[in-house]
Amino acid sequence: MLDPVSLKYDANGLIPCIAQDHASGEVLMMAWMNADAVAQTLQTGRVTYWSRSRQSFWVKGESSGHVQRLVELRVDCDRDCLLALVDQTGPACHTNRRSCFYTAVRDGQEVVIMEPMT
């Protein structure tokens, strides 16, 4: 069993977590976790982040219904970044897009490559 304390957190006690769709491989978003959020995610199977702006837990989809169910949690080689393979319900981004990475830089220009979901 993974001990969340064994991970390497930054000076604020946070570790980045990338959420990726387990079936398609699409990168959905990046957010922060603290040790308690990691533990809660592993215990509940619902991906839980730490909101830096609200200074509180953020269970993905709790208010929006756009739930992230954990399929597998991966730890990188330095133990300072996480990859959450998830089953995503609806959009992952607060802009109502499937992914937060909807802007590409092409020939030096920012191009929106994904419209909001309807």
Side-chain angles (χ1 to χ4, degrees):
M1 169 93 34
L2 171 72
D3 180 359
V5 177
S6 72
L7 300 172
K8 293 180 184 173
Y9 299 89
D10 69 10
N12 296 313
L14 301 174
I15 188 169
C17 180
I18 300 163
Q20 182 179 28
D21 185 281
H22 78 99
S24 71
E26 180 181 22
V27 176
L28 301 173
M29 58 178 283
M30 191 290 287
W32 299 93
M33 291 182 166
N34 61 17
D36 290 336
V38 173
Q40 189 171 324
T41 296
L42 292 171
Q43 288 169 354
T44 66
R46 295 273 311 274
V47 182
T48 303
Y49 300 105
W50 179 256
S51 171
R52 295 177 299 165
S53 59
R54 294 188 306 256
Q55 291 292 295
S56 63
F57 291 112
W58 161 35
V59 180
K60 183 68 174 162
E62 193 170 48
S63 58
S64 68
H66 303 152
V67 175
Q68 285 181 351
R69 185 184 59 78
L70 183 67
V71 174
E72 182 175 275
L73 189 65
R74 296 184 183 178
V75 180
D76 82 333
C77 57
D78 293 323
R79 300 186 72 77
D80 63 359
C81 188
L82 300 173
L83 175 65
L85 299 178
V86 302
D87 178 21
Q88 174 71 48
T89 300
C93 184
H94 75 281
T95 65
N96 210 39
R97 289 172 171 88
R98 177 77 178 156
S99 170
C100 293
F101 298 96
Y102 60 86
T103 303
V105 179
R106 296 179 176 164
D107 296 322
Q109 301 298 311
E110 291 187 27
V111 180
V112 174
I113 58 171
M114 184 184 306
E115 294 304 317
M117 297 174 75
T118 55

